[in-house]
Amino acid sequence: MNAEEIVAHITDDMGNDVVQPVELDEEYRVLCAVADAADEQHRAHCLLRTVNCPICKALADLDLVRQKHGPLHRN
């Protein structure tokens, strides 16, 4: 997931930003990079069938979500 593609604003009743947009959150960006690296490593090395591996099941669900939101994007 590319952090620059996400724009989330939480505002108070007056329209003032309560928290910074996700795109400015450095920890979120780094966590996305870690998740993408783990995704690639697991897909390359897992020898189990998808139905037998909980990580592969979760990655398959992630693929479905990504397909709904457009083409896959890798960092």
Side-chain angles (χ1 to χ4, degrees), residues 5-26:
E5 293 176 358
I6 297 175
V7 177
H9 291 280
I10 299 174
T11 59
D12 61 14
D13 292 340
M14 301 298 289
N16 300 314
D17 284 338
V18 177
V19 296
Q20 288 186 336
V22 174
E23 64 195 26
L24 301 178
D25 188 353
E26 185 68 15

Side-chain angles (χ1 to χ4, degrees), residues 2-64:
N2 188 348
E4 288 79 22
E5 293 176 358
I6 297 175
V7 177
H9 291 280
I10 299 174
T11 59
D12 61 14
D13 292 340
M14 301 298 289
N16 300 314
D17 284 338
V18 177
V19 296
Q20 288 186 336
V22 174
E23 64 195 26
L24 301 178
D25 188 353
E26 185 68 15
E27 182 181 7
Y28 179 79
R29 186 192 64 75
V30 173
L31 285 172
C32 286
V34 169
D36 284 342
D39 175 346
E40 290 177 24
Q41 276 294 100
H42 187 80
R43 289 179 196 260
H45 294 52
C46 184
L47 301 176
L48 298 174
R49 293 177 38 204
T50 299
V51 295
N52 295 330
C53 177
I55 295 174
C56 287
K57 287 180 191 177
L59 291 172
D61 291 341
L62 177 62
D63 288 342
L64 291 174

